[in-house]
Amino acid sequence: YSLSPCYVSLALYKCLYGRAHPTNLQHHRHYTSGESSGAAKVVAVGLVTLGSSIGGTVLYAKWDPKFRTAVEKNIPYSDWLLGMALGPNPYSPVTAHKKQVSKFITPKYPTTPPDHLNGSLLCSLNSVLCFCVSEECKECHHHGDTPVPAMVEAVDSMTEGPLKERPAEEVTARLAQQEQEDQDILASVSASLEESLASSAKTTLQAIGAQEAALQAIGSHTHKLKEAMEAEVPPDQKSAQWRDLETALAERRSTVNDAGAALLKARDALDSLRSVIDKAKESKVAAVQPLVLAAEENLHSMVVDLDQAVTKVQSAESEAKIVSQYTELVNEAKRQFQKELSSLTPEIQANWKGLTGKLSADDLNALIAHAHRRIDQLNRELAEQRVREQVHIEAALEQQKLEDQKALDKAVHTATQHSKEEARLEQERKLSELREVMEAEMRTQLRRQAAAHTDHLRDILKVQEQELRSEAEQMLEQETHYRQLTQEQLDNFTLDMNAAYARLKGMEEAIDSHVIAEEEARKAHQLWLSVEALSYTLKTAGSDLPTKPLESAVQAIQDSCCNNEFALALASALPEESLRRGVYSEASLRSRFNSLRSMVRRVALIDESHNSLYQYFLSYLQAALLFEEKQAMPPTQLTNEDLDPFKLLSYASYCLEHEDLELAAKFVNQLRGEARRVVQDWLTEARLTLETRQVVTLLSAYANAVGLGTTQAP
Amino acid sequence: MADEHGRKWDRCLADTAVKTVTGISVGIVLSVLFFKRRTWPVSLGSGMGLGMGYSNCQHDFRSPYLLHGNMVKDQ
């Protein structure tokens, strides 16, 4: 109720009156003088307040850092002020972060020369530790990488201990591997040998064929030449013969060239084969040797054939040379004779056989004289020749001897080579055969030893078997005897056990059924006890105080009958208020009602529609003037006039006196209007009490029923 | 709820008394200042105060039965 207008008006009044009254002048002077210096005072007071507040804040911030951070957070520029006054804040999170970052950035590690292993290691370690922002650290990274693996390798090699004996599996593995390798090598070598052998054989055959062809050509040419020289055929056939000769000559030349080329190729192939054989000889595999041997023999035979063919061709060529020389000589002589003849008788042609009638006697004489002269000349030459014959023959013989010697040397040389080669091959063949024989013998010896060893083992094992068998039989006898005894004992035990077990089972079943029955009984008892507790709490109501809150009792009920739906439903049907606050007892309600009654009487006339203060006055008047019975027995049926508030009150009072709260509440419920509002609280309390009581009675009835039920045997 | 009635009466009477007294005083002031010490401002003030108090009281007693409506603005 604000009395401020009152105060204000009074103050104003006083002020106004004060002006007129001289007694209050002092006051007013004081006020008026105070009012002019009031501004300065206000300013001064304000400044002092501000200063003291700031000083107080600073002092408190010094003492409490959390407060300081709060102030700094909320008031701008305060951190500057506080920093100036007190120094930096030790607990601020921002500065701590800055400090940490600076600690990491500031130290710069010195760059050591990278050729030193330690230095580079250190550098690499440092580069791992520090933030590698600087370039020096990057270099360290690069340099540090390369020495580190080297060191690692050195360490690894140092940690390798002395060589240990390889285990058996490894040995067999290695042997198998080696065998495999040998097989591979053998296969490859044989393949290469065969290949080269085939190619060289082919080329050699080709060469030999070419040589034979050359031989043939040379032979035919020589023969043709001889024919051409000696035979006396008519001129046209002679020219044909000469043409044939030329073709034969050309053929001979080409075949000889081919033979030469083929020979070269063959020799190349043979050289390659020899090199392959040499390479194959270098390999250590024993099984290669016979292959190599066979290849060498093949090579030797091919070389021999080739040489033979070449010698044949050479002899044919030398013969052809002789024949050609002979032809040349003959041609020379013929030309000489022609020249002489032509010089003597120029008009006579070469063919003087058919000139019988043309020649004169002089010509004939001249011709005969020339012929005689020629004969003389030739006789003289012949005599000379006979004289010089010996010398010539000796010289020719000497030359021939030299040539023969040369040829012989060459032949001897080739023959020796061939024989050497053959001898070597023979030796190697013998060696390989011997080796095989020795291998076979060694194998048989080893087999014999192995067989002996197995026999020995077998005998020993047999003896051991006998001994062990006898021992085992003995032990078995003992065992069976013991087992029999134990089996008998076991049987007896089993029988006893079965009997005992059966009895135990029976007892257990009986106990279980008892336990179940007892459990049920216990639960019923618990329920009954908790319900009793609940109903007891109802009695703890004081005269005007509610009971204790029923919550604990209800909780106890709920715990004790957790599997009983009916009891649970009932327990949860209790109203909230009663659980939390408790309910009032009937007596208290009754007393309250009596006090309420007068109130209700006073507002009996007020209903919902029109209730001005005048109505209130009238209602009060009515209450003062109207008298009704204190208690009137309610009829069994209510009529309309019974709904008068006063009557209702008397009915309710009667019911309350007769302990019938329910009926009283029903009557009170019929009040309308303001009267109803007045009794609303009482009504809710009454309802609460009634509900609680109903639930409690139901629960106790249920508990009693259940309790009775469990006393009977199931 | 029963106490509510009594509390309402208390409020009512206090309020009425205050208003009446205020009215009387205002009346007295006005009559002294402007109306040459006549009596009618005093009675006017007291009447006004009483009336206001009575009206407040009545409104207070009617309040549970008065329906209050709220206007819903169309958004």
Side-chain angles (χ1 to χ4, degrees), chain A residues 3 17 596 599 603 608 611-614 616 620 673-674 677-678 680-681, chain B residues 1-2 4-6 8-9 11-12 18 32 54 57-58 61-62 64-65:
Chain A
L3 301 173
Y17 268 120
L596 269 181
M599 174 75 58
V603 295
E608 295 94 339
N611 43 0
S612 56
L613 275 179
Y614 180 58
Y616 273 93
Y620 274 26
E674 187 67 26
R677 284 188 61 235
V678 164
Q680 195 63 40
D681 277 347
Chain B
M1 274 318 240
E4 187 67 26
H5 196 79
K8 271 191 191 166
W9 268 120
R11 272 206 302 268
C12 189
V18 163
V32 161
Y54 183 89
C57 212
Q58 194 166 280
F61 274 113
R62 271 194 195 157
Y65 302 110

Side-chain angles (χ1 to χ4, degrees), chain A residues 5-29 31, chain B residues 25 29 32-33:
Chain A
C6 198
Y7 278 139
V8 165
S9 61
L10 280 170
L12 201 60
Y13 178 74
K14 269 200 184 145
C15 270
L16 291 168
Y17 268 120
R19 283 237 175 88
H21 287 259
T23 49
N24 288 330
L25 210 57
Q26 263 184 351
H27 274 283
H28 284 281
R29 216 185 279 138
Y31 279 150
Chain B
S25 58
V29 164
V32 161
L33 283 180

Side-chain angles (χ1 to χ4, degrees), chain A residues 357-486:
Chain A
K358 288 196 187 160
L359 291 170
S360 62
D362 286 333
D363 287 330
L364 278 169
N365 287 338
L367 206 63
I368 289 167
H370 175 71
H372 274 297
R373 267 202 296 275
R374 190 81 174 132
I375 289 166
D376 283 336
Q377 190 197 359
L378 283 172
N379 280 337
R380 259 189 300 210
E381 273 188 18
L382 191 62
E384 247 185 75
Q385 203 69 11
R386 271 205 197 115
V387 168
R388 292 215 184 108
E389 198 183 319
Q390 203 67 30
V391 176
H392 283 164
I393 282 174
E394 280 179 13
L397 273 174
E398 284 292 329
Q399 207 182 5
Q400 192 65 27
K401 233 188 257 178
L402 281 170
E403 280 186 13
D404 277 345
Q405 192 70 29
K406 259 193 248 159
L408 185 71
D409 285 340
K410 213 165 86 174
V412 162
H413 179 70
T414 45
T416 44
Q417 273 207 338
H418 287 165
S419 62
K420 253 196 244 173
E421 193 73 23
E422 275 182 26
R424 192 178 64 82
L425 287 174
E426 188 74 29
Q427 188 191 30
E428 289 204 0
R429 215 180 297 134
K430 287 241 170 65
L431 262 174
S432 67
E433 278 177 19
L434 195 66
R435 206 180 289 133
E436 273 182 32
V437 164
M438 301 208 77
E439 282 263 348
E441 195 167 322
M442 192 150 88
R443 225 174 271 137
T444 45
Q445 293 291 350
L446 281 172
R447 233 180 277 137
R448 237 182 261 159
Q449 241 188 10
H453 183 65
T454 44
D455 284 340
H456 176 66
L457 277 177
R458 207 176 295 141
D459 291 337
I460 288 181
L461 280 173
K462 259 199 208 123
V463 166
Q464 266 191 348
E465 194 188 331
Q466 293 288 1
E467 284 178 19
L468 286 171
R469 203 172 285 230
S470 62
E471 262 188 47
E473 276 180 18
Q474 214 183 7
M475 273 178 38
L476 198 65
E477 261 188 47
Q478 272 188 342
E479 277 284 322
T480 43
H481 180 65
Y482 284 148
R483 210 167 279 176
Q484 268 183 347
L485 286 174
T486 47

Side-chain angles (χ1 to χ4, degrees), chain A residues 74-367:
Chain A
N74 291 323
I75 302 172
Y77 298 113
S78 61
D79 56 346
W80 166 78
L81 184 72
L82 287 167
M84 269 198 5
L86 301 173
N89 191 345
Y91 293 94
S92 161
V94 177
T95 52
H97 177 72
K98 277 189 198 149
K99 244 196 228 173
Q100 273 178 354
V101 172
S102 67
K103 216 195 308 182
F104 272 122
I105 285 178
T106 39
K108 279 210 171 84
Y109 291 93
T111 55
T112 56
D115 48 356
H116 205 67
L117 194 66
N118 282 338
S120 63
L121 262 183
L122 196 72
C123 195
S124 63
L125 281 172
N126 289 340
S127 68
V128 165
L129 282 176
C130 79
F131 289 91
C132 288
V133 179
S134 56
E135 287 162 359
E136 303 96 276
C137 276
K138 271 205 188 118
E139 278 177 12
C140 274
H141 258 309
H142 292 307
H143 287 295
D145 278 340
T146 42
V148 166
M151 230 186 66
V152 167
E153 276 175 21
V155 166
D156 275 0
S157 63
M158 280 197 297
T159 53
E160 258 186 18
L163 287 172
K164 298 191 294 260
E165 188 188 323
R166 285 182 269 207
E169 301 92 21
E170 211 181 311
V171 168
T172 48
R174 280 179 93 91
L175 278 173
Q177 203 186 13
Q178 214 157 26
E179 257 186 56
Q180 190 63 33
E181 279 174 14
D182 290 347
Q183 289 278 3
D184 292 338
I185 288 170
L186 183 67
S188 67
V189 157
S190 62
S192 66
L193 275 175
E194 273 180 34
E195 208 183 291
S196 40
L197 262 175
S199 67
S200 54
K202 205 162 65 173
T203 44
T204 316
L205 281 170
Q206 269 180 356
I208 289 171
Q211 301 285 356
E212 301 260 317
L215 198 66
Q216 281 268 349
I218 292 169
S220 73
H221 174 72
T222 319
H223 182 69
K224 282 216 176 88
L225 198 60
K226 265 200 209 140
E227 262 187 26
M229 283 298 101
E230 288 167 6
E232 297 290 331
V233 294
D236 49 353
Q237 280 192 358
K238 199 115 186 146
S239 58
Q241 224 178 23
W242 283 116
R243 270 204 292 278
D244 280 339
L245 197 63
E246 278 176 24
T247 51
L249 179 63
E251 204 186 302
R252 172 192 153 175
R253 275 214 197 92
S254 69
T255 46
V256 165
N257 286 340
D258 286 341
L263 180 68
L264 281 171
K265 259 203 292 191
R267 281 217 205 274
D268 284 338
L270 286 172
D271 284 337
S272 71
L273 176 65
R274 194 170 289 130
S275 67
V276 165
I277 286 175
D278 287 337
K279 232 187 343 185
K281 262 200 250 184
E282 278 170 25
S283 81
K284 304 208 187 77
V285 179
V288 169
Q289 298 303 333
L291 284 173
V292 163
L293 226 52
E296 273 184 356
E297 282 181 7
N298 279 339
L299 173 69
H300 176 66
S301 60
M302 281 195 280
V303 162
V304 163
D305 288 337
L306 203 60
D307 286 342
Q308 277 177 355
V310 164
T311 45
K312 264 194 242 165
V313 166
Q314 275 177 351
S315 61
E317 274 195 344
S318 62
E319 218 184 282
K321 217 191 293 177
I322 292 170
V323 171
S324 68
Q325 271 181 358
Y326 166 68
T327 49
E328 270 184 40
L329 273 172
V330 165
N331 281 339
E332 186 69 37
K334 266 201 188 151
R335 253 186 276 130
Q336 195 76 10
F337 185 61
Q338 281 285 26
K339 246 192 337 202
E340 283 178 14
L341 207 59
S342 58
S343 68
L344 273 179
T345 53
E347 60 268 17
I348 291 176
Q349 303 303 319
N351 201 354
W352 48 274
K353 257 197 188 164
L355 294 169
T356 47
K358 288 196 187 160
L359 291 170
S360 62
D362 286 333
D363 287 330
L364 278 169
N365 287 338
L367 206 63

